[in-house]
Amino acid sequence: MIGEGASPWPCSIIFRGFTDLDNVETQAIDNHFQKLKENNRVTKVFIDWHSYSQLILAPWSYDADIDPPIDTDKQIAAAGAMAKAMNETNNVPGGYIHGVGTDILYVSSGTSKDYGYASTPQATYSYTVELRDKGQFGFLLPANQIIPTGNESYYGVIGMLDWIYENDYN
């Protein structure tokens, strides 16, 4: 929770929270993973949807100097299939790019994707997806871009799941 890429200042867009799991959203995610664990359920994919930047970020994000996850090659390939499908859906201006969070964005501690990958049960394919746009509108995406963004997301997930089914289904 405390680390590079997180701020103790509550007005910051990278505010880390006051304590671990201190808001209902992160508590809900933690509760969901705990229930899966208790019921011996498996999670293959976890996506934390955000705006904006048109990025598909794979673990790790909390430290640029740590060894990559053992599943990085699979994560990047599935993210590539997702990005391809998203870009082809509406010929997205600027396109979605994909990669490890610290490589294509910045160090960010306490991310849901890192938690999703590191938790039990582990979500092998755990991502943060930063939706439209690349900064012109930022967090205030115009209404006329909401449905196209939803369509891109839908077909992106289908593209990723198709890749997982064809390459890593067991």
Side-chain angles (χ1 to χ4, degrees):
M1 173 109 144
I2 297 174
E4 190 176 346
S7 172
W9 185 49
C11 295
S12 171
I13 63 169
I14 59 169
F15 176 54
R16 66 177 184 230
F18 294 107
T19 63
D20 292 342
L21 305 172
D22 70 345
N23 63 63
V24 295
E25 294 85 2
T26 55
Q27 289 169 13
I29 292 167
D30 184 61
N31 289 341
H32 178 70
F33 274 98
Q34 295 307 317
K35 286 179 187 171
L36 290 170
K37 181 180 177 181
E38 290 167 10
N39 294 311
N40 296 315
R41 301 292 304 267
V42 174
T43 296
K44 194 85 166 174
V45 177
F46 175 81
I47 301 174
D48 186 16
W49 299 96
H50 286 223
S51 63
Y52 59 92
S53 294
Q54 295 175 202
L55 302 171
I56 303 166
L57 306 169
W60 300 119
S61 283
Y62 71 93
D63 187 338
D65 297 324
I66 194 166
D67 288 337
I70 194 166
D71 297 307
T72 295
D73 290 344
K74 293 190 302 187
Q75 293 167 340
I76 297 302
M82 181 182 214
K84 181 177 187 289
M86 292 175 86
N87 291 333
E88 290 176 351
T89 299
N90 294 316
N91 198 19
V92 180
Y96 285 84
I97 62 171
H98 65 285
V100 173
T102 55
D103 292 345
I104 64 171
L105 192 56
Y106 47 74
V107 173
S108 178
S109 61
T111 66
S112 294
K113 78 175 157 314
D114 287 358
Y115 179 79
Y117 182 72
S119 69
T120 304
Q122 177 188 48
T124 304
Y125 300 93
S126 187
Y127 304 98
T128 298
V129 176
E130 300 278 354
L131 299 170
R132 286 189 189 198
D133 70 348
K134 290 234 178 217
Q136 179 181 2
F137 302 107
F139 295 113
L140 301 174
L141 194 65
N144 68 350
Q145 292 190 33
I146 294 171
I147 290 176
T149 302
N151 289 336
E152 293 155 15
S153 302
Y154 173 80
Y155 288 108
V157 169
I158 298 299
M160 177 188 55
L161 293 176
D162 283 347
W163 187 94
I164 293 168
Y165 181 77
E166 292 169 8
N167 296 280
D168 192 29
Y169 184 76
N170 50 27

